[in-house]
C-alpha cells in the first residue's frame, strides 16, 4: 500500500492511497476459496468446485466485498501509521477500481487540534451557597398537609372552604366550551377561580341542586378565544363536603410513608437543599465554561462546526425562534469519552439575538449561530481532552444506574425502556455523555480556586436563570 499526502491546510489533510492489484487478487482468491469449501453446487462434491466456476458465479459480489473491506482496512492503517486523530470519519473518493488494476482512492480527513494544557489552578470561580430557611420547610409541610386534608359529606348548604362535587357544562351562546365540562369535578369554594365570580355563585348550594352560573372571562384570559366573552355554566351539585382542619402532627408524616413529623421535616429540608444545590451547581458550571471559553482559542475542525450548526439551524427553522439551547440555555456538554474518532459537542449558554423567523434576518442569525456552534465544539473538545488525559471514564455500573433512573421516569413502561437500551447500544451514548461531562466538570472544580458566597433563596431566585430550565424549589 502506498500513501501520499497531497494537501495539508490547517486541520484538513488529503491523501492518495494505492493498493496493488496483486493484494486485491490475493484476497479475492482467498475469499472464493472459503466459499468453495462451503458451497454446494450440482455436479460437484463439497470443496471440489473449480475456481473458474466460483469466479463466474461469485466473483462480482466477492470483489465488491473485498473492495469495501480494503477501503476500510487501508484507510484505518494509513491513519494509524501516521498517528492521526480524526475528528470525523474520513471521506473516501475512489479514483480507480477496475478489475485487474490497482485500487486508487483519495481520502480527506479532518484532525483533532492540539489542545493546550489548561491551568485549572488559575480559574477563579464562585460557588453560591444557600441554606434552607426553616420557614420554607414549614411552608412545604403546610402544602403537604393541605393535600392530605380529609373531607366528609355534610347535609347543609355549601360554605366557603367546602368542596363541591359537581357535573359541569359550559357554553358561550349555543356553543359548548371545549374542556370546560366534566363529571364529578371538584370545586373548592374560596380557593380562587381564574374566572371572577364563579365560586361566589355556588356558595349556599345544596346537594341535588342545579345552578346556572353566569360569568365573563377576563380580558387577559389565557385562552384567547374565550377572553372577554360571556359564558353560562350549568352546575349539577352532587355532594357538599366539609374539609377537616389541617393537622400537622406525626400522623401527617405517617400518611406519606415516614415515621413521624420530624422525619418528614428532615426529608423536606434535604429535598429543598438538593434543589438549591443543583441550581447553584448550574451557575457554577456556566461560570466555569465561560472562563474556559475566555481562556482558550484554538482551531476547531470545520466539519464538526458544520454538524453542530446544522443541528442548531434545524431547530431554529422548525420552531421559528432560537432553540432553548441557544436562547440562554445552560452549558450541557455531550462530550463522550474521547477515542480516535471523538466527536464532542457542547451546548453553551450564549444568548443569541432573536431573529424574526426563518427567512427574516437569516444571514445575521446564521452568523451568530455559527459562532455559537464553534464555541460549543471548542469547549466540547477541551473537556473531552481533559477527560482523556486524566483517565476519566464512565463505568458500566454508572451506565446501568442511568438506565435504571431513566426506566423509573416512565412508570409502567420500565421493561420497554430497558429493552430499548439493550437493543440500541448507540442510544446508551446519550446517557453516558452527561455522566462523563459531570465527572470532568467535578475534576476541574477540584483543581480550580472556588470561593463561596452565602446568599438567600430569594437572591438565588432573583438571579438570571443560566439554564432557562433550572428546577428551583417551589
Amino acid at each position: 500500500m502506498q500513501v501520499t499526502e497531497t494537501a495539508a491546510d490547517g486541520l484538513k489533510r488529503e491523501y492518495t492511497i494505492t493498493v496493488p492489484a496483486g493484494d486485491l487478487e490475493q484476497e479475492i482468491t482467498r475469499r472464493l476459496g472459503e466459499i468453495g469449501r462451503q458451497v454446494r453446487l450440482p455436479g460437484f462434491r463439497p470443496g471440489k468446485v473449480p475456481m473458474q466456476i466460483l469466479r463466474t458465479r461469485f466473483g462480482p459480489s466477492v470483489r465488491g466485498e473485498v473492495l469495501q473491506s480494503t477501503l476500510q482496512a487501508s484507510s484505518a492503517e494509513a491513519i494509524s501509521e501516521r498517528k492521526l486523530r480524526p475528528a470525523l470519519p474520513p471521506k473516501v473518493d475512489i479514483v480507480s477500481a477496475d478489475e485487474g488494476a490497482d485500487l486508487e482512492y483519495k481520502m480527506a480527513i479532518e484532525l483533532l487540534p492540539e489542545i493546550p494544557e489548561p491551568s485549572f489552578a488559575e480559574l477563579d470561580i464562585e460557588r453560591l451557597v444557600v441554606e434552607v430557611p426553616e420557614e420554607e420547610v414549614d411552608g412545604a409541610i403546610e402544602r403537604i398537609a393541605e393535600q392530605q386534608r380529609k373531607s366528609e359529606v355534610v347535609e347543609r348548604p355549601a360554605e366557603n372552604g367546602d368542596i363541591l362535587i359537581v357535573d359541569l357544562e359550559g357554553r358561550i351562546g349555543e356553543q359548548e366550551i371545549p374542556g370546560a365540562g366534566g363529571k364529578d369535578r371538584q370545586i373548592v369554594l374560596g380557593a380562587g377561580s381564574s374566572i371572577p365570580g364563579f365560586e361566589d355563585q355556588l356558595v349556599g348550594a345544596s346537594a341535588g341542586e342545579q345552578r346556572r352560573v353566569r360569568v365573563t372571562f377576563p380580558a387577559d384570559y389565557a385562552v384567547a378565544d374565550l377572553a372577554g366573552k360571556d359564558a353560562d355554566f350549568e352546575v349539577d351539585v352532587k355532594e357538599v363536603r366539609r374539609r377537616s382542619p389541617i393537622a400537622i402532627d406525626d400522623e401527617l408524616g405517617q400518611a406519606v410513608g415516614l415515621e413521624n413529623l420530624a422525619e418528614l421535616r428532615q426529608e423536606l429540608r434535604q429535598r429543598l437543599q438538593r434543589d438549591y444545590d443543583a441550581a447553584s451547581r448550574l451557575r457554577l458550571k456556566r461560570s466555569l465554561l465561560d472562563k474556559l471559553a475566555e481562556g482558550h482559542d484554538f482551531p476547531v475542525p470545520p466539519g464538526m462546526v458544520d454538524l453542530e450548526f446544522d443541528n442548531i439551524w434545524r431547530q431554529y427553522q422548525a420552531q421559528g425562534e432560537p432553540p432553548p439551547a441557544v436562547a440562554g440555555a445552560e452549558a450541557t456538554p455531550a462530550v463522550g469519552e474521547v477515542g480516535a474518532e471523538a466527536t464532542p459537542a457542547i451546548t453553551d449558554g450564549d444568548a443569541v439575538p432573536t431573529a424574526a423567523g426563518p427567512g427574516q434576518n437569516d444571514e445575521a442569525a446564521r452568523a451568530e449561530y455559527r459562532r455559537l456552534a464553534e464555541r460549543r465544539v471548542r469547549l466540547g473538545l477541551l473537556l473531552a481532552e481533559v477527560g482523556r488525559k486524566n483517565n476519566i471514564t464512565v463505568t458500566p455500573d454508572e451506565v446501568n444506574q442511568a438506565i435504571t433512573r431513566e426506566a423509573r421516569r416512565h412508570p409502567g413502561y420500565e421493561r420497554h425502556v430497558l429493552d430499548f437500551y439493550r437493543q440500541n447500544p448507540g442510544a446508551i451514548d446519550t446517557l453516558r455523555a452527561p455522566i462523563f461531562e459531570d465527572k470532568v466538570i467535578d475534576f476541574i472544580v477540584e483543581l480550580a480556586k472556588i470561593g463561596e458566597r452565602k446568599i438567600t433563596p430569594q437572591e438565588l431566585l432573583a438571579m438570571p436563570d443560566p439554564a432557562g430550565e433550572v428546577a428551583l424549589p417551589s
Side-chain angles (χ1 to χ4, degrees):
M1 180 179 72
Q2 180 180 350
V3 181
T4 304
E5 185 176 273
T6 58
D9 180 15
L11 298 176
K12 294 182 178 181
R13 300 289 186 275
E14 291 184 6
Y15 300 89
T16 296
I17 300 177
T18 303
V19 180
D23 293 353
L24 294 174
E25 179 57 31
Q26 182 179 350
E27 181 61 19
I28 291 172
T29 301
R30 185 192 67 79
R31 179 72 182 110
L32 287 172
E34 290 180 349
I35 293 174
R37 289 190 291 274
Q38 301 170 3
V39 74
R40 293 180 178 274
L41 293 179
F44 299 98
R45 288 179 296 168
K48 299 299 182 180
V49 180
M51 180 59 69
Q52 187 57 42
I53 292 178
L54 291 173
R55 285 187 181 277
T56 301
R57 187 77 175 268
F58 303 105
S61 62
V62 168
R63 178 175 173 77
E65 293 174 5
V66 169
L67 285 176
Q68 183 63 34
S69 63
T70 300
L71 285 171
Q72 294 175 349
S74 59
S75 59
E77 182 180 348
I79 290 170
S80 177
E81 286 180 350
R82 284 156 182 75
K83 296 181 171 57
L84 304 177
R85 295 182 62 205
L88 297 169
K91 295 179 180 179
V92 171
D93 183 18
I94 296 177
V95 176
S96 174
D98 295 336
E99 189 169 355
D102 295 344
L103 169 63
E104 181 181 339
Y105 66 93
K106 294 181 179 179
M107 180 178 71
I109 191 170
E110 289 186 9
L111 307 179
L112 291 172
E114 290 296 326
I115 300 175
E117 186 75 28
S119 177
F120 299 128
E122 299 176 1
L123 289 175
D124 191 359
I125 308 169
E126 182 181 68
R127 177 188 282 120
L128 303 175
V129 179
V130 178
E131 294 182 358
V132 180
E134 285 303 309
E135 56 267 25
E136 191 161 345
V137 179
D138 292 339
I141 289 177
E142 289 172 3
R143 288 192 292 273
I144 291 177
E146 179 67 30
Q147 294 167 3
Q148 296 293 324
R149 196 172 178 181
K150 294 180 174 60
S151 65
E152 60 181 359
V153 176
V154 293
E155 300 297 332
R156 60 163 174 76
E159 301 173 354
N160 268 327
D162 288 343
I163 297 174
L164 297 186
I165 309 299
V166 304
D167 292 343
L168 190 66
E169 184 179 279
R171 293 181 177 276
I172 294 178
E174 298 299 321
Q175 186 176 0
E176 185 174 344
I177 303 173
K183 300 289 186 181
D184 296 326
R185 299 279 290 269
Q186 289 193 15
I187 300 175
V188 180
L189 300 183
S193 171
S194 60
I195 310 173
F198 184 89
E199 293 172 11
D200 295 343
Q201 298 179 56
L202 294 175
V203 173
S206 301
E209 183 179 346
Q210 290 184 337
R211 285 201 177 188
R212 172 173 289 184
V213 176
R214 292 182 171 86
V215 294
T216 300
F217 285 95
D220 59 351
Y221 194 68
V223 181
D225 290 344
L226 303 179
K229 293 184 178 179
D230 296 330
D232 290 333
F233 285 85
E234 295 293 339
V235 182
D236 183 4
V237 181
K238 302 171 77 171
E239 285 183 358
V240 177
R241 304 186 69 90
R242 178 180 60 199
R243 293 194 295 172
S244 304
I246 293 178
I248 298 178
D249 51 24
D250 286 343
E251 288 187 7
L252 178 61
Q254 294 164 8
V256 294
L258 300 175
E259 289 293 328
N260 49 45
L261 181 61
E263 189 172 330
L264 173 60
R265 175 176 290 276
Q266 181 64 16
E267 173 68 23
L268 290 172
R269 182 184 292 106
Q270 292 175 352
R271 187 184 304 171
L272 289 166
Q273 190 65 62
R274 285 194 299 269
D275 289 343
Y276 283 126
D277 289 347
S280 175
R281 176 181 168 81
L282 282 178
R283 289 179 168 84
L284 176 71
K285 180 177 167 184
R286 170 61 191 273
S287 177
L288 170 63
L289 291 171
D290 283 345
K291 294 276 188 181
L292 292 175
E294 291 169 6
H296 297 85
D297 185 16
F298 51 84
V300 294
M304 294 182 71
V305 176
D306 290 342
L307 288 174
E308 183 63 25
F309 170 79
D310 288 344
N311 181 51
I312 296 173
W313 193 251
R314 279 196 301 271
Q315 294 180 59
Y316 168 63
Q317 290 186 310
Q319 299 173 7
E321 59 184 17
V326 175
E330 164 60 17
T332 309
V335 292
E337 294 171 68
V338 179
E341 295 183 359
T343 54
I346 187 169
T347 58
D348 78 11
D350 276 4
V352 175
T354 304
Q360 302 180 41
N361 300 323
D362 274 359
E363 289 307 313
R366 281 180 178 275
E368 289 297 327
Y369 290 160
R370 184 164 291 280
R371 179 194 62 77
L372 177 61
E374 182 175 330
R375 170 180 155 128
R376 289 181 177 180
V377 171
R378 183 175 290 109
L379 282 172
L381 288 171
L382 179 61
L383 294 183
E385 186 70 0
V386 170
R388 185 184 72 86
K389 287 187 175 180
N390 293 281
N391 299 315
I392 298 173
T393 59
V394 177
T395 67
D397 282 346
E398 289 171 327
V399 173
N400 289 336
Q401 290 170 14
I403 293 174
T404 300
R405 286 194 298 271
E406 188 66 20
R408 288 173 178 167
R409 291 180 58 244
H410 301 83
Y413 296 91
E414 291 89 349
R415 176 54 55 187
H416 297 282
V417 174
L418 296 175
D419 289 343
F420 171 77
Y421 284 108
R422 190 176 296 115
Q423 297 166 9
N424 299 274
I428 294 178
D429 290 339
T430 62
L431 301 179
R432 181 184 288 109
I435 299 172
F436 178 74
E437 164 208 330
D438 281 341
K439 296 180 77 169
V440 174
I441 292 291
D442 288 341
F443 174 82
I444 297 174
V445 168
E446 286 295 320
L447 299 177
K449 296 178 183 177
I450 305 296
E452 292 190 349
R453 177 164 64 95
K454 290 187 177 181
I455 63 173
T456 65
Q458 292 73 23
E459 289 173 321
L460 180 65
L461 291 167
M463 290 180 175
D465 186 351
E469 299 176 358
V470 178
L472 295 175
S474 58

